[in-house]
Amino acid sequence: MFGVLALPNSARLTNRHIEGVAEYVASYPDYQEFFEARQEGYARLGIEALTLAESLAAAFKFAAASKVVPDESWEPKAYLLEKVAAFELRRKEKSARDNESDGALI
């Protein structure tokens, strides 16, 4: 029950984070940081919603939501998990590059 009640708050927090990135971090001309924050934030929110739906379906023994997409082979949760993993990998690689460049300055 808590997950159901917490989902709107997660959406608000995601939107606030995206707005903050747009206002204080994203830079001209392509605003890449904004689009990345939006894509990652909504991917994480989607995973949270899909996980919640799966939990509710299992707990109350009803069928999970049916797919209403033309391509039946597409798995939304797998796609979102791949997106989040790609962002995490990019962040780790950037951190490693930053640490290398910091060591070179010393």
Side-chain angles (χ1 to χ4, degrees):
M1 189 65 174
F2 177 76
V4 173
L5 297 173
L7 192 61
N9 192 44
S10 292
R12 275 191 294 278
L13 290 173
T14 299
N15 287 334
R16 286 184 185 153
H17 172 72
I18 294 166
E19 290 168 4
V21 169
E23 190 167 342
Y24 299 109
V25 179
S27 56
Y28 180 80
D30 60 358
Y31 302 99
Q32 178 181 352
E33 299 87 354
F34 164 73
F35 289 108
E36 287 178 354
R38 187 174 70 170
Q39 194 173 34
E40 182 179 7
Y42 290 142
R44 288 183 184 279
L45 190 61
I47 292 167
E48 185 177 343
L50 289 170
T51 302
L52 179 61
E54 290 168 356
S55 298
L56 289 171
F60 296 102
K61 297 175 179 54
F62 62 86
S66 63
K67 292 184 184 180
V68 191
V69 292
D71 183 7
E72 290 293 322
S73 66
W74 185 64
E75 290 292 330
K77 191 171 184 179
Y79 174 79
L80 295 174
L81 288 168
E82 283 177 28
K83 284 291 183 186
V84 169
F87 280 112
E88 289 173 353
L89 178 63
R90 241 184 276 161
R91 198 173 297 117
K92 285 179 185 175
E93 289 171 349
K94 183 183 181 310
S95 177
R97 282 193 309 271
D98 290 347
N99 288 339
E100 284 179 11
S101 64
D102 287 347
L105 295 175
I106 295 176

